[in-house]
């Protein structure tokens, strides 16, 4: 019987589709479901909380910006970079931290200026752009910078976006610094993926220079890795020793 999809002969007479095409169709369906979920998440993120208000209408008009953000390299350095205009309606709908700043009698709300320390102008500009578009042009450095901002200002959608990008760049050679970074900023998805690679390549990773540096800089992270490694070893040994299940 010929497959309805690829037109090749196959043994089953009732299904109408060969196993290879059936499995490929299933994978395509799962991929489409993931894309739909991502689009739904993006739409929800971009929806203003006060969508029926005048402030929401003004948010679509750049000339009506009512707040500016300024990047300060460090808390001690002056904020000399250009200010980035934005809209309170957008900031407060994307970030609970901005909402607390701008909906209460805080300095940022009264002055209309939000000074953001430990961030570059380029990263801040990309951050603000993401709050409006849910898109960013990423490289590894920018993804890390934006993930830090997403964690600090509780922009979960951006944090997920950055983790997804970093995971696409993850390999055993960079798994240790990625793990340390994810550990520091609560990026659990990236953390778990990096840890899996570390555990599979412990012999090679412990010989690398960044491993010795991490032992000196943050031994607690190394302890966590070894605890996970020992747990994996115990589980592997237990599975080998357990009797086979009866058929």
């Amino acid at each position: 019987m010929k497959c309805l999809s690829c037109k090749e002969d196959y043994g089953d007479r009732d299904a109408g589709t060969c196993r290879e095409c059936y499995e490929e169709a299933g994978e395509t369906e799962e991929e489409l479901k993931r894309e739909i979920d991502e689009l739904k998440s993006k739409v929800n993120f971009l929806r203003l909380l006060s969508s029926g208000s005048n402030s929401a209408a003004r948010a679509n008009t750049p000339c009506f910006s009512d707040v500016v953000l300024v990047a300060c390299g460090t808390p001690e350095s002056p904020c000399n970079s250009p200010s980035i205009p934005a809209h309170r309606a957008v900031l407060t709908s994307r970030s609970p931290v901005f909402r607390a700043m701008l909906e209460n009698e805080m300095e940022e709300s009264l002055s209309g200026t939000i000074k953001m320390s430990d961030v570059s102008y380029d990263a801040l500009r990309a951050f603000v752009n993401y709050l409006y578009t849910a898109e960013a042009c990423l490289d590894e450095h920018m993804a890390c910078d934006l993930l830090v901002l997403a964690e600090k200002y509780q922009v979960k959608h951006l944090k997920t976006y950055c983790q997804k990008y970093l995971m696409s760049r993850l390999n055993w050679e960079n798994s240790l610094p990625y793990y340390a970074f994810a550990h520091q900023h609560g990026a659990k998805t990236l953390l778990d993926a990096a840890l899996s690679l570390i555990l599979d390549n412990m012999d090679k990773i412990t010989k690398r220079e960044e491993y010795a540096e991490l032992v000196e800089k943050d031994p607690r992270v190394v302890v966590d890795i070894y605890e996970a490694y020992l747990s994996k070893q115990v589980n592997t040994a237990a599975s080998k020793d357990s009797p086979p299940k009866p058929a």
Side-chain angles (χ1 to χ4, degrees):
M1 185 173 181
K2 289 188 179 296
C3 171
L4 296 176
S5 298
C6 67
K7 309 303 181 184
E8 296 290 334
D9 291 329
Y10 70 101
D12 297 332
R13 293 186 174 276
D14 298 323
T17 305
C18 67
R19 179 177 296 276
E20 290 78 8
C21 290
Y22 180 81
E23 292 176 351
E24 183 178 347
E27 292 173 0
T28 302
E29 182 180 4
E30 289 300 317
E31 184 176 348
L32 287 172
K33 287 180 179 179
R34 286 193 296 270
E35 291 179 359
I36 290 171
D37 288 341
E38 289 177 2
L39 286 172
K40 287 181 178 179
S41 176
K42 184 174 181 179
V43 169
N44 288 333
F45 174 74
L46 292 174
R47 182 180 293 120
L48 289 172
L49 293 180
S50 53
S51 57
S53 68
N54 290 333
S55 60
R58 292 201 312 269
N60 294 321
T61 310
C63 62
F64 287 111
S65 62
D66 52 9
V67 66
V68 296
L69 298 92
V70 182
C72 301
T74 65
E76 295 80 16
S77 66
C79 302
N80 292 328
S81 61
S83 60
I84 300 173
H87 304 84
R88 294 174 188 242
V90 174
L91 299 186
T92 56
S93 68
R94 307 292 189 259
S95 162
V97 177
F98 284 138
R99 190 179 310 130
M101 285 182 184
L102 298 173
E103 290 185 351
N104 296 294
E105 296 296 317
M106 298 180 68
E107 178 184 350
E108 294 84 359
S109 177
L110 298 174
S111 67
T113 299
I114 301 175
K115 296 179 181 179
M116 299 175 65
S117 61
D118 298 319
V119 60
S120 69
Y121 171 76
D122 288 341
L124 179 56
R125 185 173 59 179
F127 177 64
V128 173
N129 182 70
Y130 190 90
L131 298 181
Y132 281 84
T133 66
E135 294 180 357
C137 183
L138 298 180
D139 56 25
E140 290 187 57
H141 182 73
M142 182 60 73
C144 290
D145 284 350
L146 290 181
L147 191 149
V148 172
L149 286 169
E151 172 69 12
K152 184 175 182 179
Y153 292 93
Q154 299 178 29
V155 185
K156 294 180 180 179
H157 192 273
L158 175 57
K159 188 174 181 180
T160 300
Y161 185 86
C162 293
Q163 286 191 87
K164 184 176 180 180
Y165 176 86
L166 291 171
M167 286 175 64
S168 73
R169 299 296 186 270
L170 183 63
N171 56 63
W172 78 265
E173 292 180 308
N174 62 22
S175 59
L176 190 62
Y178 270 36
Y179 179 85
F181 173 79
H183 191 280
Q184 182 179 0
H185 297 289
K188 188 177 187 309
T189 304
L190 179 61
L191 185 82
D192 291 343
L195 180 60
S196 179
L197 283 173
I198 291 170
L199 299 184
D200 290 340
N201 297 275
M202 280 291 284
D203 291 343
K204 293 183 287 186
I205 286 174
T206 53
K207 297 174 183 176
R208 295 176 68 87
E209 182 178 346
E210 57 261 32
Y211 175 79
E213 292 175 354
L214 187 61
V215 171
E216 292 293 327
K217 182 180 178 181
D218 198 345
R220 179 64 234 179
V221 172
V222 178
V223 170
D224 289 345
I225 291 172
Y226 266 99
E227 287 178 348
Y229 180 71
L230 291 174
S231 177
K232 180 181 178 181
Q233 295 294 93
V234 169
N235 291 336
T236 301
S239 64
K240 289 180 179 179
D241 294 338
S242 61
K245 294 181 180 180

